[in-house]
Amino acid sequence: MAALQKSIDKRNSLIKATIGLVNNNGFHATPMSKIAKMAKVSPATIYLYFENKQDLVNQTYIEVKAAYTNYAFATYHKNMSVEQGFEIIWKRIADFKLKDSENAMFLAQCDNTPMIDETSRQEGIKHLEPLLELWNRGIEEGIIKPISEYLLYAYAINPLSFLMMSAQRSAFTLDTTHIEEAYVAAWNSIRVIK
Amino acid sequence: MAALQKSIDKRNSLIKATIGLVNNNGFHATPMSKIAKMAKVSPATIYLYFENKQDLVNQTYIEVKAAYTNYAFATYHKNMSVEQGFEIIWKRIADFKLKDSENAMFLAQCDNTPMIDETSRQEGIKHLEPLLELWNRGIEEGIIKPISEYLLYAYAINPLSFLMMSAQRSAFTLDTTHIEEAYVAAWNSIRVIK
DNA sequence: ACATAAAAAATGAACGTTCATTCTTTTTTT
DNA sequence: AAAAAAAGAATGAACGTTCATTTTTTATGT
């Protein structure tokens, strides 16, 4: 195998191990030694790919966040109507959180703890631009309530994280009916009701 | 001062120190030595009040959760209409999260990490009974959508946590206008729209 | 093609530090 | 004076990171 590919594989397996262990134990309860063991690598090798533990988790965060937003916006185009655009993006996000719940859980933990550097967090937010643009367009067209983007996000998108966490932790199982109901609730919370 | 009162004070200041330090640094990055220092107590003394670090944080969680739900349901009575009841509880919760953001942040972090024992988490959930009862009544009366309590919570209550965290972390400031807008969004997401 | 030497990558063991917890002594209360 | 509470110092384990060596890869000359 080409040396470059081997390097990429090793880095990927380190990132994957980090996600798995942090999900189960939290940042500070996952030692580098365990990450190394899970990735089948020596602890010292991690430091060839990452500066230190903080750098490893920052890079993991940015990478997972990029994969998430790529997936979310993959089928969206700027010439769609606001309703269409919102439904498509919302359902892609739901899809990601259901199917790729390992990654989704990791993002949720990062977004709710002081685990990630502030700069890396900012970097992650940047990727959400298309959604903010869509909302602004919706507000201009009188379709979406003229409220802060924080409120829009809180009611339209974030509840999906909560649902995913509930499904992970309790006996609650998220099926397609729930997703449709959740979509209706999301849309009703942010649209202008006449 | 009475010895009993002194004991209570010492325990309270340990719990307060725990909340402050965990909020800023996370569970595993707050050493017992720092908690002791902030509470003006010897590290050894902590072990007279709590079994170990995990027990300290579990008890802190349960105590804060109880204060939260007490506040949330203080002005609610079972003979209120569903609309009234929901508005009153919702706004009390908003009030708590705004005014007592230290405690609210602590709960948010506990609820989004593997920091708390599963049993303590369950214990915390119990206190929400009155709200679940209200929702069931709302569903029976055809006022609230007949969907899972997880969905109701995700759209009606949890967004407030997200908003509080955003306000803490970014330049975003939550004022009374936002709260009213958020309340309308919450209600529209869970009520039956005719 | 192949042997070989230089370079790079990877390793396991070791280091210094930090932490939760305990032990022994001192202080405070009864 | 006895008992209880509190203290600071000590302990052992675990951690992130680095160091000295070994293994693997790459480049070179035949």
Side-chain angles (χ1 to χ4, degrees), chain A residues 147-156 190, chain B residues 163 172 178 181-182:
Chain A
I147 56 183
S148 128
E149 64 192 43
Y150 290 100
L151 281 165
L152 293 174
Y153 197 82
Y155 282 95
I190 68 165
Chain B
L163 289 174
F172 176 57
H178 289 128
E181 288 170 346

Side-chain angles (χ1 to χ4, degrees), chain B residues 59-83:
Chain B
Q59 287 199 40
T60 303
Y61 173 73
I62 289 172
E63 217 148 285
V64 174
K65 193 82 168 195
Y68 161 68
T69 44
N70 272 349
Y71 191 90
F73 298 129
T75 58
Y76 166 71
H77 301 294
K78 294 201 177 187
N79 54 348
M80 286 175 175
S81 76
V82 170
E83 287 95 334

